[in-house]
Amino acid sequence: KVSQAPIEEIQSLKVRERITRCVRWRLEALSPHREAKKRAMSYLGQPQNIRLSLRCLYCTVDEMWRISGDTATDFNFYTKRGLLAGVYISTLLFWLEDDSKDFNETWLYLNRRIENALSIPKVQKKFSKISNALPKPHKFMYRLRELFMEYNRY
């Protein structure tokens, strides 16, 4: 029983809810084919199939972001897809082994992974503030080189 809500309905949700819904729709659509998906994952996990595996993963997360209304064309385009790839793959692997009723444990796991992914920019911002207060080694080395060059002229 896959949700058949129109894409327009998803646009009224917050980004977090849009992405969560997309991942959930994907897994619900795969639910009748869990054993086939396990075999496909085994095939795609072989070293000689890594390019195909990454291409499939990229297409999946890119489609999820596009359905969610993402229009980013800058660096965010890549970071969003990279973060979602981690969330999707870990949730997919959890889902493949989930025996809970209606995959309830998977949906709880998905919510925790989305929460983790959303906390990354906050952590980056804190580290950015800290790193701005610290001395920059490359600037120090550049200044040291200038002094050395000046000293050698005389």
Side-chain angles (χ1 to χ4, degrees):
K1 56 185 182 186
V2 176
S3 301
Q4 295 296 326
I7 293 175
E8 295 80 33
E9 176 187 309
I10 202 172
Q11 299 305 319
S12 65
L13 303 173
K14 294 180 180 177
V15 175
R16 170 197 178 119
E17 294 163 341
R18 292 177 195 178
I19 292 299
T20 302
R21 181 126 347 143
C22 285
V23 172
R24 197 170 167 154
W25 283 342
R26 174 73 173 168
L27 296 179
E28 288 173 347
L30 291 172
S31 63
H33 313 287
R34 274 178 71 179
E35 188 57 37
K37 186 60 179 175
K38 283 182 183 181
R39 290 181 185 163
M41 294 288 290
S42 176
Y43 174 78
L44 291 170
Q46 297 173 3
Q48 66 270 22
N49 300 323
I50 193 72
R51 287 180 86 187
L52 175 60
S53 177
L54 291 173
R55 192 175 319 129
C56 290
L57 176 60
Y58 173 79
C59 289
T60 300
V61 297
D62 183 54
E63 189 64 26
M64 288 178 188
W65 273 113
R66 290 183 189 283
I67 288 170
S68 296
D70 180 51
T71 57
T73 56
D74 56 358
F75 188 70
N76 283 335
F77 177 91
Y78 300 102
T79 56
K80 287 177 179 180
R81 279 144 183 85
L83 288 171
L84 182 55
V87 168
Y88 175 68
I89 285 295
S90 66
T91 305
L92 174 63
L93 293 172
F94 189 94
W95 172 80
L96 288 171
E97 300 301 321
D98 186 9
D99 293 328
S100 65
K101 187 177 191 290
D102 296 325
F103 304 112
N104 287 329
E105 292 297 320
T106 298
W107 310 139
L108 293 172
Y109 181 85
L110 171 60
N111 288 332
R112 289 191 304 269
R113 294 300 66 83
I114 295 284
E115 187 65 37
N116 292 145
L118 291 175
S119 69
I120 290 174
K122 294 173 191 171
V123 172
Q124 279 182 318
K125 192 173 185 179
K126 286 181 183 177
F127 278 124
S128 168
K129 288 179 182 177
I130 292 169
S131 70
N132 287 339
L134 296 173
K136 307 292 185 251
H138 67 282
K139 288 183 179 180
F140 172 75
M141 295 304 288
Y142 180 78
R143 181 68 182 129
L144 190 62
R145 181 177 172 257
E146 285 180 335
L147 290 171
F148 180 76
M149 297 299 280
E150 189 175 307
Y151 176 77
N152 284 334
R153 276 191 216 155
Y154 299 110

